[in-house]
Amino acid sequence: MTEYGRGQGSEPWHPEDPYYGDDGWGGQQAQVGPQSPYGGQPQHYPEQPQQQQNHGGWHDGQQTGYGQAQQYQQYDQQYYAGHTQQQQSYDQQAWGQGTDTHAQYTDVRYTDPQDPYAQQAAASYGGDQSDYYGTPDAYPPPEPPSRRQAEPEPQHTDWDPGPDQGEHAFFAGGDDEEDEDDDPAGGRKARGGKKPKKSRNGCACLVLVLVFGGGLGGVGYFGWQFYQDRFGPAPDFAGDGNGQSVTVVIPKGAGGYVIGQKLKEAGVVESVDAFVSAQQSNPDGKKIQDGVYTLEKHMSAASAVDLMLSPKSRDNLIIREGLRNSQVYALLDARLGVPEGTTAKVAKNDYKKLGLPSWALNHPNLKDPLEGFLYPSSYAASKGQKPEEVLKDMVTRASDKYAALGLANKAKSLGLDNPWQLLTVASLVQAEGVSHDDFRKMAEVVYNRLKRGNPETYGSLEFDSTYNYIKNQSKIDLSISELRKYNNPYNTYYVKGLPPGPIDNPGEEALRGALNPTHDGWYYFISLDGKTSKFTKTLAEHNKLVDEFNASRNKN
């Protein structure tokens, strides 16, 4: 490399160039052949290297000389060592605007310091020399240090997306501070090597794409769902079902949304909103009751509503008024698919866990503590359910009904000790009455006979139904002698007053009759046709009706 400012990888000077090997810028004519750049004169080199700021180009005054003498051998070694800073230092020291320090070359002077080659061309090339700088293929003329520029970087032919092409540090995985490593003087890199490339990292771009893409997708999905929920039609199946039957249990007090949820869980309807809309559109939609329904899967909401309003879909367990607990237990065993006696055993062992009110507990001599609390109604009972689950539902309904009717508050006003006795009266009214029209009169018969000082029975009820209950039978042909001999707390022919507890499960009409009896003075009753009852006030009147009844039976 020469001192003319060629960068790395530049072409060398042509060997026949008259300036080949000329290292100085003193304004003198170059000599042919190899020579020392300072005409063979000894030069002085400072003991300490010159700093960069001391030789920045052209000077207005005298150029300072070298401090101490150095041998050519020392200078040449330092000069050819490739130290750019020293080379520039000597170049700039040799170039002066005023008096030149190398005085032996005085035959050529520059009038224009900015164009050192204006007068030198004639002196540099003789008639027998070729002009290597005047042809189209000539080498570029040397320039003074102040005009030298860093050689541009070679252009890249392949596109490089790496961080050395200006890629942001976030995508390159690097730091912006790493871009400051280049030489601040000329932007050059160290000789013999390139700045190592930063490692490219495409993961950051991929993560950003996934994050933004997922965010946009999520917003779009939830926006569509919101639109469908607010403004779009609810999803709904078409048709009357796929033929696959399914049993659905609707709890008591369930509204449209609860019913719709049950149907959706069973696969009957496709959405809750579709069922609610169909129920509201149907004039009788609110008449859907609790219970067990046999439906089909994949039904339209409108078809499901229509079928639930039809008796064909109802598959509930019906407990009618006046059934004894023993009869209810048998029905539950068959309905739930459990062995016979399972429900009765649960009732006997766990009756205190089924929700009885406090006034229904701790009564002596009871045949069944749950008697009177398996309220007559329609119940959702199907295979797979446990007996205690259905029993608890029945007890809950009974307790709710008794509280609503005010049994606890009205017992005293009827001459009874507690609501337990009022419930027992209602069970007797239910057992002996034939029709709903009989219940109020039948209740008066009970209250009148319970009075210990009454002139007809003197405190004895003498109801056949109590004897049949303890015997677990339903007979009408019973002899008086048989009835009066059987010693049992439930036998009202043997014991005065009420039996220990209810003898069946009374319905609402019987309960209302017991709460609001007539006051006509009735003591006796008899049914001649099994459909209606006749009431009398005296035993004589009653005996006449008994004779009538026996005569009609003998004819048939």
Side-chain angles (χ1 to χ4, degrees):
M1 162 178 175
T2 67
E3 63 178 5
Y4 290 115
R6 298 278 181 177
Q8 290 181 347
S10 61
E11 296 292 338
W13 290 103
H14 197 281
E16 298 181 5
D17 188 345
Y19 281 93
Y20 176 74
D22 182 13
D23 299 301
W25 284 95
Q28 71 276 14
Q29 183 176 352
Q31 302 298 323
V32 180
Q35 64 180 11
S36 174
Y38 294 98
Q41 296 297 324
Q43 300 297 320
H44 301 282
Y45 187 73
E47 184 176 1
Q48 299 295 334
Q50 293 287 337
Q51 299 298 326
Q52 182 107 7
Q53 66 268 21
N54 294 336
H55 36 75
W58 299 84
H59 298 281
D60 297 333
Q62 297 291 330
Q63 178 72 26
T64 60
Y66 296 99
Q68 296 182 3
Q70 298 289 337
Q71 298 298 325
Y72 265 103
Q73 182 177 1
Q74 295 174 344
Y75 169 76
D76 291 340
Q77 291 175 353
Q78 294 181 2
Y79 177 77
Y80 290 106
H83 299 293
T84 307
Q85 183 175 356
Q86 294 180 2
Q87 180 183 8
Q88 294 176 354
S89 175
Y90 295 138
D91 293 342
Q92 294 174 3
Q93 288 176 354
W95 186 272
Q97 185 178 4
T99 303
D100 190 76
T101 56
H102 310 296
Q104 66 271 26
Y105 298 107
T106 59
D107 55 340
V108 178
R109 293 291 180 178
Y110 299 128
T111 59
D112 185 1
Q114 298 296 329
D115 189 8
Y117 295 99
Q119 299 177 6
Q120 192 178 5
S124 299
Y125 296 92
D128 56 346
Q129 291 179 327
S130 300
D131 186 1
Y132 292 94
Y133 297 96
T135 63
D137 298 331
Y139 297 104
E143 293 180 321
S146 61
R147 293 187 179 183
R148 295 173 188 170
Q149 297 180 356
E151 187 171 346
E153 294 287 339
Q155 295 183 354
H156 297 279
T157 57
D158 295 333
W159 179 75
D160 184 3
D164 52 335
Q165 294 296 320
E167 188 172 299
H168 194 277
F170 175 80
F171 300 99
D175 201 319
D176 291 342
E177 296 180 358
E178 295 179 1
D179 297 337
E180 306 292 337
D181 294 341
D182 292 343
D183 184 2
R188 296 184 182 181
K189 299 173 183 176
R191 182 192 298 269
K194 295 182 179 180
K195 182 178 179 181
K197 287 187 177 181
K198 302 173 184 177
S199 60
R200 292 189 292 268
N201 187 357
C203 292
C205 294
L206 179 60
V207 169
L208 285 178
V209 170
L210 292 177
V211 168
F212 285 111
L216 291 175
V219 170
Y221 173 79
F222 286 108
W224 174 253
Q225 291 296 322
F226 178 82
Y227 174 81
Q228 287 294 319
D229 293 341
R230 295 291 182 182
F231 308 106
D236 194 7
F237 293 127
D240 298 331
N242 60 4
Q244 183 179 358
S245 297
V246 61
T247 300
V248 181
V249 179
I250 304 300
K252 180 184 178 182
Y257 281 97
V258 176
I259 297 174
Q261 186 64 39
K262 294 291 184 181
L263 296 180
K264 181 181 178 182
E265 292 175 357
V268 175
V269 297
E270 187 172 5
S271 66
V272 177
D273 290 340
F275 176 81
V276 172
S277 178
Q279 184 189 29
Q280 293 174 349
S281 301
N282 193 307
D284 297 328
K286 293 185 178 180
K287 294 181 180 179
I288 296 177
Q289 300 178 359
D290 58 291
V292 179
Y293 292 84
T294 300
L295 306 171
E296 292 187 12
K297 288 188 174 184
H298 291 194
M299 298 181 69
S300 68
S303 298
V305 171
D306 292 339
L307 186 57
M308 293 182 77
L309 291 172
S310 172
K312 296 179 180 180
S313 67
R314 299 298 297 271
D315 195 21
N316 284 7
L317 175 64
I318 305 299
I319 304 299
R320 60 181 178 85
E321 296 90 338
L323 287 182
R324 300 169 185 162
N325 278 10
S326 58
Q327 295 171 303
V328 176
Y329 297 152
L331 292 174
L332 281 176
D333 287 343
R335 186 59 175 251
L336 303 180
V338 296
E340 184 178 352
T342 300
T343 305
K345 184 178 180 180
V346 171
K348 181 179 179 180
N349 296 333
D350 299 332
Y351 71 94
K352 290 184 178 181
K353 302 177 182 178
L354 300 177
L356 289 172
S358 59
W359 54 262
L361 298 173
N362 303 319
H363 295 284
N365 303 321
L366 295 179
K367 179 181 178 181
D368 187 341
L370 286 181
E371 196 74 66
F373 275 88
L374 304 183
Y375 189 73
S377 184
S378 173
Y379 294 94
S382 58
K383 290 184 178 181
Q385 288 183 278
K386 296 181 179 180
E388 54 264 37
E389 181 182 349
V390 183
L391 290 176
K392 189 173 184 178
D393 187 14
M394 293 179 174
V395 171
T396 300
R397 292 200 192 186
S399 300
D400 292 344
K401 176 60 68 175
Y402 301 158
L405 293 175
L407 267 64
N409 299 327
K410 297 180 180 180
K412 296 289 186 180
S413 63
L414 295 170
L416 302 172
D417 295 336
N418 49 53
W420 181 255
Q421 288 185 343
L422 182 53
L423 179 59
T424 301
V425 171
S427 70
L428 295 173
V429 171
Q430 183 73 66
E432 296 290 350
V434 178
S435 65
H436 292 289
D437 296 335
D438 294 343
F439 291 148
R440 292 188 65 206
K441 294 179 179 180
M442 192 65 68
E444 183 185 358
V445 171
V446 174
Y447 291 130
N448 287 337
R449 288 190 181 188
L450 286 176
K451 298 176 181 178
R452 291 191 175 272
N454 77 82
E456 297 294 330
T457 62
Y458 303 98
S460 294
L461 285 178
E462 296 184 350
F463 278 12
D464 294 352
S465 56
T466 59
Y467 179 83
N468 283 331
Y469 174 76
I470 198 62
K471 291 289 187 177
N472 197 24
Q473 62 185 18
S474 298
K475 292 182 178 181
I476 58 174
D477 294 327
L478 300 173
S479 64
I480 297 297
S481 60
E482 179 184 354
L483 293 173
R484 296 189 185 277
K485 291 179 182 179
Y486 186 70
N487 184 3
N488 188 282
Y490 280 90
N491 184 7
T492 56
Y493 280 92
Y494 189 89
V495 178
K496 289 185 178 182
L498 291 171
I503 61 173
D504 57 35
N505 293 284
E508 184 173 356
E509 292 298 325
L511 289 165
R512 293 187 178 278
L515 289 169
N516 186 26
T518 60
H519 300 280
D520 297 329
W522 306 117
Y523 276 92
Y524 302 98
F525 61 92
I526 187 173
S527 177
L528 299 179
D529 56 5
K531 297 178 181 178
T532 58
S533 298
K534 290 188 175 182
F535 295 88
T536 58
K537 300 179 181 179
T538 64
L539 181 58
E541 294 174 337
H542 175 68
N543 287 335
K544 288 181 180 180
L545 294 176
V546 171
D547 292 340
E548 249 181 73
F549 175 73
N550 290 332
S552 63
R553 288 184 64 188
N554 291 333
K555 289 181 180 180
N556 297 328

